[in-house]
Amino acid sequence: MVSVTARVRFYETDLMGVVHHANYFRWFEMGRIAYLREAGIDLNRLMEDGFMVPIVDASCRYHRPARFDDEIVIETKLSACSKVRIVFTYAVRRKSDGVILAEGSTTNAFTTPDGKVERLNDQYYPKLQAKLEEERKTTVC
Amino acid sequence: MVSVTARVRFYETDLMGVVHHANYFRWFEMGRIAYLREAGIDLNRLMEDGFMVPIVDASCRYHRPARFDDEIVIETKLSACSKVRIVFTYAVRRKSDGVILAEGSTTNAFTTPDGKVERLNDQYYPKLQAKLEEERKTTVC
Amino acid sequence: MVSVTARVRFYETDLMGVVHHANYFRWFEMGRIAYLREAGIDLNRLMEDGFMVPIVDASCRYHRPARFDDEIVIETKLSACSKVRIVFTYAVRRKSDGVILAEGSTTNAFTTPDGKVERLNDQYYPKLQAKLEEERKTTVC
Amino acid sequence: MVSVTARVRFYETDLMGVVHHANYFRWFEMGRIAYLREAGIDLNRLMEDGFMVPIVDASCRYHRPARFDDEIVIETKLSACSKVRIVFTYAVRRKSDGVILAEGSTTNAFTTPDGKVERLNDQYYPKLQAKLEEERKTTVC
């Protein structure tokens, strides 16, 4: 699991007075990018190497609203990974009391810039496998 | 089903050259609001009457990317409705060829401004039931 | 002048209950792109031809707030144009009563993808000059 | 001056491959809120006390593009303050080399929730005056 802390920005709210629901997917993205970095994968470099990483599936369950100026913790776990797909799960917690505000998951594909499936190569795939192995050990314990 | 047409805005794209995935949830919202209007429910008035309509669940499957300046059609269907929850499903099509770019669904709850569950009253509930009935007939045929 | 009509989207609001101020720059962008289209310039094609059009200056004065579900009219005028820069001015009106909600201006440069100044060529420049001429006549009358 | 550090988020980019220009105004907002906090003013509390703080004027000059994953520093200075208006200026720097990417300024008014001018009271105004005094001393030296 990789944790990222952020403070809720004013522009992330809407007229219901809480964070607009679409923004949680942006927070998941921040978590995902931080996770990849921890795994030794820089997204800019991955794209320079010709891989696009489009989202093919995303979902979120909203438990309680995040509010302006809240500190939040985005917890990201790798839950599955093949050479063509990668699945992450997320929990967004309010930092002050640890309450889970939302949970979700996403699936990304690896493709060429033209959108054709592109199998992840040996420069990248073992790094993700190592993290997945690590996650599994942690979950068991 | 209620259809809304829009043109993809420049700011909706990201550096992968296509629409950022979080924006589809914003398009679903546009579809949902248009649907409610068609059902005779104005969201501003609903909020003035003390109902908040927070999202409790949202998901999207992405089939093909929407691109800047594409004309898209957001098709919204009501698929379930009780006095405390409402479920919509969506398809986003590229207008030029009718291809489905993404499909999704959302669940909203009806709550007080404080976030407590609030049962929809007789001013609103029958309108939604009528639309749901209408959807079911259409789907059967 | 080129006018574009839009309906204020829910996600464009913030917790002060009105449209977040940064969104007016996105509306200006919509106006600008519509203006270019009217001038016979498709932004996608312009970029394919190797021109980037980065903003170098932007400003907005806010007179009255736009609110969720308002219909607005974005009025865009070309006010200056050379082979390396283009200046637009904007007014955003509430459609129901014509009241001006905000006014602004932007300057874009024409550059290569690497960000070097790139003079607009004969395929594009005369189109903008023609529109500028047209604006001046309209303004005089 | 108050400095805030942030990392450029993926969703902040657009298809030109750099940060969309409207996002700088969101960064200014982050800087402004941090500045107020430093001055002992919590924006949530200010709003609870009945003050809205709408933007009445905003501008930005863009020198160089911010890119995905860049670390940026948002430097905010209070440059003028009365009981009805407050003016901030901003510089956004790339953290790695200190280069200024953009500079801007904003003016906020203090109003009631209905949008009427509301003079800042003695709970808040002296705090801002103290910071303004501090800025002036710093600038002189």
Side-chain angles (χ1 to χ4, degrees):
Chain A
M1 193 179 80
V2 171
S3 295
V4 174
T5 300
R7 193 187 273 276
V8 173
R9 299 177 178 184
F10 194 88
Y11 73 79
E12 294 178 320
T13 62
D14 65 34
L15 67 80
M16 282 203 283
V18 297
V19 170
H20 188 271
H21 66 281
N23 290 321
Y24 292 75
F25 292 97
R26 295 166 157 193
W27 294 346
F28 293 170
E29 178 176 82
M30 290 169 61
R32 191 162 65 244
I33 289 165
Y35 194 101
L36 291 174
R37 181 179 291 121
E38 279 270 315
I41 297 175
D42 178 86
L43 183 53
N44 271 322
R45 180 137 330 158
L46 186 65
M47 291 189 294
E48 281 162 28
D49 285 351
F51 289 97
M52 294 293 111
V53 197
I55 292 277
V56 293
D57 199 289
S59 67
C60 185
R61 274 167 299 132
Y62 302 85
H63 303 305
R64 300 190 184 198
R67 294 176 189 280
F68 165 58
D69 229 25
D70 281 352
E71 282 192 284
I72 55 165
V73 182
I74 306 154
E75 299 177 347
T76 305
K77 286 185 196 169
L78 179 58
S79 73
C81 180
S82 73
K83 289 189 175 176
V84 298
R85 294 211 160 195
I86 187 164
V87 182
F88 288 100
T89 59
Y90 312 88
V92 176
R93 289 179 193 274
R94 190 163 48 203
K95 196 177 176 189
S96 61
D97 58 9
V99 166
I100 291 182
L101 305 177
E103 293 173 286
S105 74
T106 59
T107 305
N108 292 75
F110 299 110
T111 73
T112 62
D114 295 342
K116 283 172 195 148
V117 172
E118 175 80 342
R119 295 173 70 80
L120 214 56
N121 61 29
D122 285 353
Q123 185 183 351
Y124 294 112
Y125 186 61
K127 289 176 179 173
L128 292 170
Q129 279 303 106
K131 287 296 278 183
L132 187 58
E133 208 53 42
E134 199 181 302
E135 292 281 9
R136 280 176 181 158
K137 275 178 201 151
T138 316
T139 310
V140 170
C141 297
Chain B
M1 190 178 82
V2 172
S3 295
V4 174
T5 301
R7 193 187 274 275
V8 174
R9 298 177 177 183
F10 194 87
Y11 72 77
E12 294 179 318
T13 62
D14 66 33
L15 69 77
M16 283 205 281
V18 297
V19 170
H20 189 270
H21 66 281
N23 291 320
Y24 291 76
F25 292 96
R26 295 165 157 195
W27 295 346
F28 293 169
E29 178 176 81
M30 290 168 61
R32 191 163 63 244
I33 290 165
Y35 194 100
L36 291 173
R37 182 179 292 121
E38 278 270 315
I41 296 174
D42 179 86
L43 183 53
N44 272 321
R45 178 134 334 154
L46 186 65
M47 291 188 295
E48 282 163 28
D49 284 351
F51 290 96
M52 294 292 112
V53 197
I55 291 278
V56 293
D57 198 287
S59 66
C60 186
R61 276 166 299 131
Y62 302 85
H63 303 305
R64 300 190 185 197
R67 295 175 189 281
F68 164 58
D69 230 24
D70 280 352
E71 282 192 283
I72 55 166
V73 182
I74 306 155
E75 297 177 349
T76 304
K77 286 184 196 169
L78 179 59
S79 73
C81 180
S82 73
K83 288 189 176 176
V84 298
R85 294 210 161 196
I86 187 164
V87 181
F88 288 100
T89 59
Y90 311 87
V92 176
R93 291 179 192 274
R94 190 161 51 202
K95 196 178 176 189
S96 61
D97 57 9
V99 166
I100 290 182
L101 304 177
E103 292 171 286
S105 75
T106 59
T107 304
N108 292 76
F110 299 109
T111 73
T112 63
D114 296 343
K116 282 171 196 149
V117 171
E118 174 81 341
R119 295 173 71 80
L120 213 57
N121 60 29
D122 285 353
Q123 185 183 353
Y124 294 112
Y125 186 60
K127 290 177 179 172
L128 292 170
Q129 278 303 105
K131 287 296 279 183
L132 187 59
E133 208 52 42
E134 197 182 304
E135 291 281 9
R136 279 174 183 161
K137 276 178 200 150
T138 316
T139 310
V140 170
C141 298
Chain C
M1 191 179 81
V2 170
S3 295
V4 173
T5 301
R7 193 188 274 274
V8 173
R9 299 177 177 183
F10 195 88
Y11 72 78
E12 294 178 320
T13 62
D14 66 34
L15 67 79
M16 281 203 282
V18 297
V19 170
H20 188 270
H21 66 282
N23 291 321
Y24 292 76
F25 293 96
R26 295 166 156 194
W27 294 346
F28 293 169
E29 178 176 83
M30 289 169 62
R32 191 163 64 244
I33 289 165
Y35 195 100
L36 291 173
R37 181 179 291 122
E38 278 270 317
I41 296 175
D42 179 87
L43 183 53
N44 272 321
R45 178 134 334 154
L46 186 66
M47 291 189 294
E48 281 163 30
D49 285 352
F51 290 96
M52 294 292 111
V53 196
I55 291 278
V56 293
D57 199 286
S59 67
C60 186
R61 275 167 298 131
Y62 302 85
H63 303 305
R64 301 191 186 196
R67 295 176 189 280
F68 165 59
D69 229 26
D70 280 353
E71 282 192 283
I72 54 165
V73 182
I74 307 154
E75 299 177 347
T76 305
K77 285 185 197 170
L78 179 58
S79 73
C81 179
S82 73
K83 289 190 174 176
V84 298
R85 296 212 158 194
I86 187 165
V87 181
F88 288 101
T89 60
Y90 311 87
V92 175
R93 289 179 192 273
R94 190 161 50 204
K95 196 178 175 190
S96 61
D97 57 8
V99 165
I100 291 182
L101 304 177
E103 292 172 285
S105 74
T106 59
T107 305
N108 292 77
F110 300 109
T111 73
T112 62
D114 296 342
K116 283 171 195 149
V117 172
E118 176 81 340
R119 295 173 71 79
L120 212 57
N121 60 29
D122 285 353
Q123 185 184 351
Y124 294 111
Y125 186 60
K127 290 176 178 173
L128 292 170
Q129 279 303 107
K131 287 296 277 184
L132 188 59
E133 206 53 41
E134 198 182 303
E135 292 281 10
R136 280 175 181 161
K137 275 178 201 152
T138 315
T139 310
V140 171
C141 297
Chain D
M1 190 179 79
V2 171
S3 295
V4 173
T5 300
R7 194 187 274 275
V8 174
R9 299 177 177 184
F10 195 87
Y11 73 77
E12 295 179 319
T13 62
D14 65 33
L15 68 79
M16 283 205 282
V18 297
V19 171
H20 189 270
H21 66 281
N23 291 320
Y24 291 76
F25 293 96
R26 295 165 156 194
W27 295 346
F28 293 169
E29 178 176 82
M30 291 168 61
R32 191 163 64 244
I33 289 165
Y35 194 100
L36 291 174
R37 181 178 291 121
E38 279 269 315
I41 297 175
D42 179 86
L43 183 53
N44 272 321
R45 178 136 331 159
L46 186 65
M47 291 189 294
E48 282 163 30
D49 284 351
F51 289 96
M52 294 292 111
V53 197
I55 291 277
V56 293
D57 199 287
S59 66
C60 185
R61 274 166 299 131
Y62 302 85
H63 303 306
R64 298 187 187 202
R67 295 175 187 282
F68 164 58
D69 229 23
D70 281 353
E71 282 192 284
I72 56 166
V73 182
I74 306 154
E75 297 177 349
T76 305
K77 285 184 197 170
L78 179 58
S79 73
C81 180
S82 74
K83 289 189 174 176
V84 298
R85 297 214 156 191
I86 186 164
V87 182
F88 288 101
T89 60
Y90 312 88
V92 176
R93 289 179 193 274
R94 190 162 49 204
K95 195 177 176 189
S96 61
D97 57 9
V99 166
I100 291 181
L101 305 177
E103 291 171 288
S105 74
T106 60
T107 305
N108 292 75
F110 300 109
T111 72
T112 62
D114 295 343
K116 282 171 196 147
V117 171
E118 176 79 343
R119 295 173 71 82
L120 213 56
N121 60 29
D122 284 354
Q123 185 183 353
Y124 294 112
Y125 186 61
K127 290 176 178 172
L128 292 170
Q129 279 302 108
K131 286 297 277 184
L132 187 59
E133 207 52 42
E134 197 182 304
E135 291 282 8
R136 280 178 180 155
K137 277 178 200 149
T138 317
T139 311
V140 170
C141 298

